Amino acid sequence: HGSKVMITTDAVPWGFGGYLLIDFVITGYSICKLTKLDQEILETLAGHSDGQQVWECLATLVAMRLWRPYWHNRRVRLSVRADNITTLTLLRKLRVKGTGLTRIAQEMALDVATSTFEPDVCVHTPGVQNVIADILSRAFQPGVHFKLPRVLHNVQEFFPPPRTRQWWRSLHPL
């Protein structure tokens, strides 16, 4: 029941991106660079493929928080789409292994627990079909000339708040 809301994300070892669809219309997009604090809190180094699973999961957490007003306390059919199985497993089960992934799972659990409705569907998209999110994720990749996809030229860019220590809710229990 309600609108169909879909959040799609992708990440590379330097940053991540995603976009929001509401009733099959792209409503917004976002790009983010990985920060030193991300690396510190998640105990994962940026710039290396070793942290890929962590960055993919962080991309989804950031996107879900950014577009929270569109799904958190509304009756919608929320889908989360990613080309990373760890991300979808984390979102569905809210538990994983590994320091950084565990921190992200805790954050997602807090977000889902305080929402009226939880995500209905987690959708795996093969990487070759995740074109828009893949392009957005590469905005900060060294040696890559970023060009916004034409389909996003008249779409609102959303800017997530800085991921300070206060942004990480599980670091500051009530």
Side-chain angles (χ1 to χ4, degrees):
H1 300 94
S3 297
K4 290 181 181 355
V5 176
M6 180 178 282
I7 295 170
T8 303
T9 61
D10 200 11
V12 296
W14 301 274
F16 51 87
Y19 61 96
L20 173 70
L21 284 109
I22 299 178
D23 293 326
F24 306 104
V25 175
I26 298 177
T27 306
Y29 73 92
S30 179
I31 56 174
C32 290
K33 187 174 187 175
L34 294 173
T35 69
K36 289 190 183 299
L37 188 58
D38 293 333
Q39 296 172 70
E40 178 186 324
I41 288 175
L42 299 173
E43 297 181 21
T44 306
L45 291 176
H48 303 282
S49 61
D50 293 348
Q52 187 64 31
Q53 304 305 320
V54 171
W55 307 134
E56 294 275 2
C57 293
L58 178 61
T60 299
L61 173 63
V62 169
M64 288 183 67
R65 284 197 177 163
L66 178 62
W67 291 309
R68 178 183 178 128
Y70 296 94
W71 68 270
H72 189 255
N73 290 322
R74 294 181 180 199
R75 184 71 174 142
V76 298
R77 177 97 173 142
L78 175 62
S79 299
V80 177
R81 187 168 64 169
D83 63 5
N84 182 272
I85 297 297
T86 300
T87 301
L88 301 174
T89 301
L90 185 147
L91 184 57
R92 196 168 289 204
K93 295 183 178 185
L94 296 175
R95 65 176 189 262
V96 287
K97 293 181 181 177
T99 304
L101 293 173
T102 298
R103 172 72 60 209
I104 294 168
Q106 291 168 341
E107 296 290 322
M108 281 193 186
L110 287 168
D111 291 351
V112 170
T114 59
S115 69
T116 305
F117 306 100
E118 63 184 85
D120 294 319
V121 180
C122 296
V123 180
H124 178 257
T125 301
V128 296
Q129 294 178 359
N130 204 15
V131 176
I132 297 170
D134 180 70
I135 292 169
L136 293 172
S137 73
R138 296 178 186 282
F140 302 105
Q141 183 173 336
V144 170
H145 173 72
F146 176 72
K147 186 175 178 184
L148 188 68
R150 181 180 296 273
V151 70
L152 299 177
H153 282 188
N154 294 314
V155 175
Q156 179 182 354
E157 181 175 6
F158 284 73
F159 300 93
R163 290 179 302 284
T164 62
R165 287 198 179 277
Q166 288 68 38
W167 187 88
W168 295 93
R169 297 173 60 198
S170 63
L171 293 178
H172 307 283
L174 297 175

